[in-house]
Amino acid sequence: MSAASETVGANGHLNGTNGVHTEDLKIAVIGQSNFAAEVLEVLLEHHHIVVGVFTIADKGSREDILATTARQYGIPVFKFSAWRRKGVPIPEVLEKYKSLGATLNVLPFCSQFIPMEVIDGATFGSICYHPSILPRHRGASAISWTLIEGDRTAGFSVFWADDGLDTGPILLQRQCPVEGDDTLDSLYKRFLYPEGVTAMAEAVDMIANGTAPKIPQTEIGASYDPALFREENQYIYLNQSAEKIFNFIRGLDSVHGALALIEEEDGSHSPVRLFGASLCGPVSLDKAKTIRFKDAAGPAYVDLEGIFLTGSDGRLVKVKRLKKGSKMIQASQWFAQAGKKVVPLELTERELEMESVLRNIWKAILKVEIEADTDFFACGAGSMDVVRLVEEVKDALEVPLENENVFMAPNFAEFLHEVITRTRSSSSDVGVGPVFDAVILRENKKVISVPTQMFVNGQFIDAENKKTLDIVNPTTEEVICKVAAASKADVDYAVNSAYKAFKGSWNQVSARERGQLMYKLADLMEQHKEELATIESVDSGAVYTLALKTHVGMSIDAWRYYAGWTDKIEGSTIPVNPAKPNHVLTITKREPIGVCGLITPWNYPLMMLSWKMAACIAAGNTVVIKPAQVCPLTALKFAELTVKAGFPPGVINVVTGNGTIAGQAITDHPLVRKLGFTGSTPIGKKIMASCAESNLKKCSLELGGKSPLIIFADCDLDKAVRLGMSSVFFNKGENCIAAGRLFVEDKIHDEFVRKVVKNIKTMTIGDPLNRATAHGPQNHKAHLDKLVEYCEIGVKEGAKLVVGGKRVPNRKGFFFEPTVFTDVEDGMFIAQEESFGPVMVISKFHSSDFDALVQRANNTEYGLASGVFTKDVRKALLFAEKVEAGTVFVNTYNKTDVAAPFGGFKQSGFGKDLGKEALNEYLKTKCVTIEY
């Protein structure tokens, strides 16, 4: 703003008195990076005129994102490597700037020195973004110094640029608290970046409105910090408190890294950069190796967790990653990696082709010729380039990589070595880990080895008399393989193995170590998630994309969630009434039950295993599980991973076979003290009786459902249609909480049905491994036949079959058409019984009698889940209050989470899976009273 339009306000601020018409603002954006590009877009959204964009020169053939964005909007772009020469503005550069007639300069992020002839050349001046609460931390490294100095608050300033060092008047400021685990990256992403973009646009709006203040900076608390892009300023002083060491490392965590010197045995020093620091409590370092850093307060230690630095106050700082030269390594691997050289591989003909593919991917990203020593990051690659590289390599070569692998192997020779090594390791996976008989699946562009024997006491073994059962692919109706069919004697061996492990090796594993094993298992499941999802698709008919996200994804989530609970299972102190004058202390202890038997269903083979077993193992129990007879293959692949994760023999045992023999043997066994079952209500009743008759073992049952879904006329209809279909057709309808009956208000009934039928006709039915498939085959032939019979009964009783109701014609595989029934009366068979398939059962209701509607919804012996769609909060809450169901969804459906308890009422069973409450199913409470 010009001096002529300024007055001093009552608050001492300089305020504009004359409004500036938006069309008078002709903005020049000077800067670079994604931040500047987003500021440009927001300014355009606010209808400001941007006459030109000035950014840095291209790096090779790579231009800054600001230039790319401006060009998309047809804004003139100017790229200057410098604005001045020998302290004097370059005439042709200055002339190009002046030719635009800019009246306001906006500098969102600018690394170049802009001459004062430009800063003052705009009528309304220049505003600049600075990532600190000025006047504190002036200079180029403000965010880093905010962390290094241990500031409790961080923030940014938008100021009027002058010829000082970030000393111009303040236009606006924003601030946020600094959290204990904040790094430069997290502060930037959480606050400085998104709020900064918004604030820059707000500042321009204020200028346009004539309300932008000019608040002179105070010199109280002012500081100007050294620039951390200079290497001499990046060295960390290690003879200071642990907190100051931690703050310095996290202040350089995203760029550069804190420089330190490790003392080698020969007296030389190896420069390294430190990343991923955290302050530690007391830790055991008995098995750690010792190393020394130059000028450190004390020794440093290396173990599997990382490198531990000793502060001058005796406290420890853990460092997760090191960078030596351009290569990043896990800090825990210092001794393994020190002096290690990449030995050139002798490549096969196929691997030479892979090298050529990799070279072309690198060239396409970096726009340079690729040599063995080409460094990915030295060529200007950024974080999005890392993501692109990983995804393109995955797509082209089907090699599982993570972003971290690029940082660990930044030059082409190292990266090639990493990819080839991983390929060889993957192709030679058979024979690694436990020995087993296997079926080789060649599906989904993968070669997957899957065990076919049962898993007992840490080994894969045949069933008694080598008895087997056939496993059928529901998509092709062909036999995939034969798996072991356990006998009663096999189950007895498995239970005794679990009992010995519970009393022996597993009892010696601490709660925290138990959690670490679970985390490792989850990591292995993550590494093998595409294999597990492929097996699930082939074995159970699950659509691959759903299997990847839900069947496997939620399984991994469950193991990680419960891994975090292992060392948080606590008792309590109880204030009992003592017999005076004595004192009494009463405490409770939560203890594992012992050997737990689990029997899981066929609709979510791996996920149901994980929901139950993760809580069971977290509580400290051992387990014998019988997966579903028709699809046990992911359970057997999972068993292989438990060995690789390091679980002691006997802790996890998998017995395959049928329910009447293997399942019954687990239920009846006297050493099994807890039984967890998911399946049908009739089988659940038999299991409960067996648990009582055998040894009164504790049991939890997740059984059948006929979940009501109420759809009121005031709902978001399109959302209700979409999620109403999901409530029925999700996972082919083989979903325990599927909406077994939809009650649709008469006002919207016909439109709802019309939209559902229209959407059904667009559903792709077919091979579950095809990424376009939305609806795969039913799990097995007997279930398909049951669905056909179910629909025939519905038609016979007078319900209107709108669409579907039969097996998909002229197609191999157990495919059943998505089905819709309307005009369903409350007493009909299909209104009372669960289909467990893709059958939508719709009844009408009138909104005049809410209580009668709830009564209809509750008129079932099941009580697993329920749902309601309405914009009326009162109706939603009343329904949630009155409905007899363990789960209530409001304006959503199928939204489960590993932290939220899951289980039913009435004949849908009792007990909970998931959440903290599930731990109670696998724990017993001991009360200890001490008199003193």
Side-chain angles (χ1 to χ4, degrees):
M1 213 172 258
S2 66
S5 63
E6 297 167 358
T7 61
V8 179
N11 57 5
H13 295 181
L14 290 171
N15 299 308
T17 58
N18 299 322
V20 178
H21 294 294
T22 301
E23 58 268 24
D24 292 338
L25 284 184
K26 296 179 180 179
I27 299 170
V29 175
I30 305 174
Q32 64 198 79
S33 80
N34 284 298
F35 182 82
E38 284 203 30
V39 168
L40 169 63
E41 291 190 309
V42 176
L43 290 177
L44 295 174
E45 288 173 8
H46 287 215
H47 307 293
H48 292 298
I49 299 169
V50 179
V51 294
V53 160
F54 297 84
T55 188
I56 57 176
D58 294 351
K59 295 179 179 179
S61 56
R62 297 163 59 83
E63 72 174 5
D64 188 80
I65 185 65
L66 175 59
T68 305
T69 304
R71 191 173 292 106
Q72 291 171 352
Y73 291 99
I75 298 171
V77 175
F78 303 90
K79 303 175 185 178
F80 301 141
S81 57
W83 287 71
R84 58 181 194 158
R85 188 180 298 118
K86 295 181 180 180
V88 178
I90 301 172
E92 54 268 30
V93 170
L94 194 58
E95 186 59 34
K96 286 182 180 178
Y97 166 77
K98 288 181 177 180
S99 68
L100 295 176
T103 59
L104 176 69
N105 297 323
V106 175
L107 285 70
F109 176 80
C110 185
S111 62
Q112 297 175 308
F113 191 97
I114 309 301
M116 290 308 299
E117 287 82 351
V118 173
I119 294 296
D120 294 336
T123 307
F124 302 110
S126 300
I127 61 169
C128 187
Y129 172 90
H130 185 77
S132 81
I133 307 170
L134 291 171
R136 187 161 172 77
H137 303 309
R138 293 169 175 165
S141 305
I143 314 176
S144 296
W145 283 104
T146 297
L147 292 168
I148 293 170
E149 293 293 331
D151 292 0
R152 297 294 181 88
T153 58
F156 59 82
S157 306
V158 178
F159 69 97
W160 298 91
D162 66 358
D163 58 353
L165 297 167
D166 309 332
T167 57
I170 302 298
L171 196 161
L172 63 79
Q173 293 183 318
R174 300 283 185 271
Q175 63 184 44
C176 69
V178 176
E179 305 295 344
D181 58 351
D182 266 328
T183 63
L184 186 152
D185 212 30
S186 68
L187 265 180
Y188 186 60
K189 290 178 180 178
R190 173 166 61 86
F191 185 79
L192 299 177
Y193 187 116
E195 294 297 325
V197 169
T198 302
M200 287 298 286
E202 182 182 337
V204 174
D205 289 344
M206 292 169 71
I207 294 169
N209 295 331
T211 59
K214 285 190 173 181
I215 307 169
Q217 284 194 45
T218 175
E219 289 304 310
I220 299 173
S223 65
Y224 183 78
D225 303 304
L228 291 172
F229 56 77
R230 301 183 190 278
E231 187 172 287
E232 63 267 23
N233 296 327
Q234 297 164 9
Y235 280 92
I236 183 169
Y237 179 57
L238 290 172
N239 191 7
Q240 58 182 333
S241 71
E243 185 170 359
K244 289 184 177 179
I245 293 172
F246 162 69
N247 282 336
F248 193 90
I249 296 173
R250 68 172 175 159
L252 281 83
D253 198 70
S254 298
V255 291
H256 308 305
L259 261 173
L261 297 173
I262 292 181
E263 296 181 356
E264 304 283 10
E265 292 182 2
D266 61 3
S268 62
H269 294 95
S270 295
V272 294
R273 294 184 180 274
L274 312 179
F275 297 88
S278 57
L279 277 171
C280 299
V283 293
S284 174
L285 296 170
D286 296 340
K287 298 180 181 179
K289 296 181 180 180
T290 304
I291 58 174
R292 292 202 67 88
F293 283 81
K294 184 181 179 182
D295 300 328
Y301 306 91
V302 182
D303 72 0
L304 293 175
E305 293 294 312
I307 288 180
F308 294 83
L309 305 170
T310 305
S312 59
D313 53 0
R315 295 182 67 192
L316 296 174
V317 178
K318 181 170 71 175
V319 175
K320 293 182 181 178
R321 299 180 303 279
L322 297 178
K323 192 173 184 181
K324 187 175 183 181
S326 63
K327 186 173 183 179
M328 188 87 76
I329 64 170
Q330 295 294 337
S332 59
Q333 299 175 356
W334 169 254
F335 287 106
Q337 296 287 339
K340 184 177 178 180
K341 295 182 179 179
V342 176
V343 178
L345 297 172
E346 187 173 334
L347 304 182
T348 65
E349 186 173 338
R350 164 63 180 150
E351 289 167 348
L352 287 170
E353 293 175 3
M354 293 173 65
E355 179 186 18
S356 177
V357 171
L358 288 176
R359 195 179 296 276
N360 288 334
I361 293 174
W362 275 53
K363 184 175 181 179
I365 295 173
L366 299 178
K367 305 293 193 303
V368 297
E369 292 300 321
I370 307 301
E371 306 294 339
D373 60 353
T374 299
D375 188 291
F376 194 70
F377 299 105
C379 290
S383 58
M384 289 307 299
D385 298 308
V386 173
V387 174
R388 177 182 169 186
L389 174 61
V390 168
E391 293 306 312
E392 288 198 22
V393 172
K394 281 182 181 179
D395 187 57
L397 301 178
E398 298 177 20
V399 178
L401 289 176
E402 302 295 338
N403 294 1
E404 191 175 75
N405 298 128
V406 184
F407 291 103
M408 298 294 188
N411 73 45
F412 184 74
E414 292 172 339
F415 188 78
L416 174 64
H417 190 282
E418 176 75 13
V419 171
I420 298 298
T421 302
R422 281 175 171 269
T423 305
R424 291 179 179 181
S425 173
S426 175
S427 64
S428 62
D429 202 35
V430 177
V432 176
V435 177
F436 50 78
D437 293 342
V439 59
I440 305 299
L441 299 182
R442 302 179 186 277
E443 303 279 359
N444 203 22
K445 299 181 181 179
K446 300 182 185 306
V447 179
I448 308 169
S449 171
V450 185
T452 55
Q453 299 165 289
M454 63 184 191
F455 180 72
V456 178
N457 201 30
Q459 295 181 320
F460 286 96
I461 59 173
D462 291 328
E464 187 178 36
N465 299 322
K466 294 186 179 294
K467 190 173 181 181
T468 61
L469 53 86
D470 289 344
I471 303 301
V472 176
N473 183 334
T475 303
T476 65
E477 302 184 48
E478 297 172 355
V479 174
I480 303 169
C481 62
K482 296 178 181 292
V483 301
S487 66
K488 183 177 180 180
D490 292 326
V491 171
D492 182 64
Y493 173 47
V495 172
N496 276 281
S497 297
Y499 182 77
K500 289 176 184 176
F502 178 73
K503 293 295 185 179
S505 60
W506 196 230
N507 190 43
Q508 304 304 311
V509 176
S510 72
R512 197 158 294 171
E513 290 170 331
R514 193 161 68 240
Q516 290 169 350
L517 284 171
M518 294 175 70
Y519 278 125
K520 188 171 183 181
L521 175 59
D523 289 344
L524 284 166
M525 292 171 72
E526 183 87 49
Q527 292 171 24
H528 291 266
K529 64 184 178 182
E530 292 176 349
E531 292 182 10
L532 291 167
T534 301
I535 298 168
E536 200 94 323
S537 293
V538 172
D539 196 20
S540 76
V543 171
Y544 175 75
T545 50
L546 177 64
L548 194 64
K549 179 180 182 292
T550 301
H551 290 232
V552 179
M554 202 170 182
S555 298
I556 296 167
D557 288 346
W559 284 97
R560 287 183 174 146
Y561 173 78
Y562 284 110
W565 269 111
T566 54
D567 58 357
K568 300 171 188 68
I569 297 171
E570 303 168 340
S572 59
T573 58
I574 302 171
V576 299
N577 191 21
K580 296 178 180 179
N582 293 336
H583 300 273
V584 173
L585 172 65
T586 297
I587 62 173
T588 59
K589 297 178 65 182
R590 308 301 308 284
E591 298 180 347
I593 293 173
V595 179
C596 297
L598 303 177
I599 301 174
T600 51
W602 42 259
N603 58 328
Y604 294 102
L606 183 63
M607 193 172 81
M608 291 295 100
L609 173 154
S610 298
W611 279 23
K612 295 183 185 299
M613 194 188 296
C616 176
I617 293 296
N621 302 284
T622 55
V623 65
V624 178
I625 185 171
K626 190 203 85 64
Q629 173 181 336
V630 292
C631 48
L633 296 185
T634 42
L636 293 171
K637 187 66 177 179
F638 167 86
E640 178 193 350
L641 299 181
T642 67
V643 178
K644 294 182 178 182
F647 279 84
V651 174
I652 294 172
N653 304 273
V654 181
V655 291
T656 50
N658 62 50
T660 55
I661 298 175
Q664 192 65 49
I666 292 174
T667 306
D668 292 340
H669 204 288
L671 288 180
V672 175
R673 293 294 176 181
K674 162 68 201 277
L675 196 286
F677 172 76
T678 294
S680 71
T681 297
I683 300 299
K685 291 179 178 179
K686 293 179 181 179
I687 283 177
M688 190 172 178
S690 296
C691 287
E693 291 171 4
S694 58
N695 60 347
L696 207 62
K697 60 173 58 71
K698 183 178 182 180
C699 69
S700 54
L701 305 172
E702 197 258 280
L703 307 175
K706 190 66 177 173
S707 301
L709 174 58
I710 313 298
I711 300 176
F712 286 98
D714 65 353
C715 69
D716 179 335
L717 184 58
D718 287 337
K719 182 179 181 182
V721 168
R722 176 169 51 85
L723 293 180
M725 291 183 67
S726 174
S727 75
V728 176
F729 303 129
F730 188 82
N731 201 47
K732 312 163 292 175
E734 296 169 354
N735 188 24
C736 51
I737 59 171
R741 189 174 179 192
L742 276 67
F743 295 88
V744 181
E745 190 171 341
D746 50 9
K747 294 178 183 178
I748 60 169
H749 175 276
D750 292 350
E751 180 66 7
F752 179 86
V753 173
R754 185 188 68 78
K755 285 176 175 285
V756 167
V757 172
K758 179 182 177 182
N759 288 339
I760 285 175
K761 291 177 180 178
T762 66
M763 289 174 65
T764 302
I765 302 173
D767 182 357
L769 289 173
N770 188 320
R771 304 306 193 266
T773 297
H775 189 78
Q778 305 308 135
N779 185 275
H780 52 279
K781 177 66 162 56
H783 181 53
L784 177 70
D785 293 341
K786 176 191 168 187
L787 289 173
V788 172
E789 181 184 5
Y790 184 91
C791 292
E792 288 173 349
I793 294 172
V795 172
K796 185 177 180 180
E797 288 191 331
K800 180 181 178 181
L801 179 62
V802 179
V803 66
K806 63 183 183 300
R807 184 173 184 170
V808 175
N810 305 318
R811 183 177 214 130
K812 199 171 186 180
F814 306 137
F815 292 93
F816 190 80
E817 294 180 345
T819 299
V820 176
F821 278 102
T822 60
D823 299 340
V824 179
E825 302 295 333
D826 291 0
M828 291 180 178
F829 175 83
I830 62 173
Q832 293 294 319
E833 296 299 322
E834 180 181 28
S835 70
F836 212 66
V839 181
M840 182 178 285
V841 176
I842 302 176
S843 299
K844 284 183 186 179
F845 73 90
H846 190 276
S847 62
S848 60
D849 195 343
F850 181 85
D851 289 337
L853 174 63
V854 175
Q855 186 176 351
R856 292 177 71 190
N858 286 335
N859 186 26
T860 171
E861 272 300 298
Y862 298 111
L864 189 56
S866 61
V868 59
F869 280 83
T870 177
K871 293 178 182 176
D872 188 329
V873 174
R874 182 176 180 276
K875 282 192 291 191
L877 292 178
L878 280 174
F879 176 78
E881 178 184 315
K882 293 175 180 294
V883 72
E884 297 169 351
T887 296
V888 184
F889 298 111
V890 178
N891 293 328
T892 188
Y893 209 89
N894 282 327
K895 199 171 186 65
T896 55
D897 187 272
V898 292
F902 180 95
F905 301 161
K906 299 189 287 189
Q907 290 195 44
S908 286
F910 52 84
K912 295 294 183 184
D913 288 321
L914 303 182
K916 180 182 178 180
E917 288 192 42
L919 292 167
N920 296 329
E921 307 298 331
Y922 302 97
L923 290 166
K924 57 190 179 186
T925 301
K926 180 181 289 181
C927 181
V928 180
T929 298
I930 306 162
E931 186 172 278
Y932 60 97

